[in-house]
Amino acid sequence: QACKEFPERVIVGIDARDGKVAVHGWTQVSGTSVTDLLQQLMSYPLAGLIYTDIATDGMLAGPNLTALRDLADSSPVPVIASGGITRLDDLRAIQSLGPRIVGAIVGKALYDGKIDLREAIDAVAE
C-alpha cells in the first residue's frame, strides 16, 4: 500500500545471511533467497533497496562484496550497501562495484573511530 500511495519514494531493506532473507529481528533465516525476494519486489514502484549482510554487520570485518555485486547486477533499482564496512578501502571497493550501488551505511566503524566521516565522504567523492 505504501508503494501505491508513494510510488518511487519507498526504500525496502533486505537483511540476509548466506543468501537467505533474515526475519524477526535477524533471529531467524527464512527459506526465501534474496534473489527470489528481489523478483517479488520488482512489481512494486520502489525507489531503492538497502541490503544488509547480517553476517558482517557490526563485525568490522569488511562487507560481503560478492553478495553486493550479485544484488546490484540483478536489481533494477539503486542499492545502498550495509554491513561490515570497516575502513575507507571498503567504501572504495563498494563504489567500484558499479553505479547501481548509490550509497553505503557506516555505523560501528564511525562509532569506534575506525572511519572518519569527512575522510569517508572525501574518499568516495566524484
Side-chain angles (χ1 to χ4, degrees), residues 11-88:
I11 296 175
V12 170
I14 298 177
D15 304 329
R17 179 187 306 271
D18 299 325
K20 298 290 184 180
V21 176
V23 295
H24 300 288
W26 297 358
T27 61
Q28 299 174 22
V29 176
S30 73
T32 303
S33 73
V34 171
T35 305
D36 288 345
L37 179 58
L38 181 62
Q39 290 304 311
Q40 293 172 28
L41 291 173
M42 290 309 96
S43 63
Y44 297 96
L46 297 174
L49 301 170
I50 297 174
Y51 177 75
T52 304
D53 184 312
I54 67 169
T56 62
D57 191 62
M59 299 290 108
L60 299 176
N64 183 338
L65 297 173
T66 301
L68 277 169
R69 181 183 310 110
D70 292 346
L71 181 68
D73 287 349
S74 59
S75 176
V77 297
V79 174
I80 298 170
S82 178
I85 299 166
T86 305
R87 54 192 205 279
L88 296 179

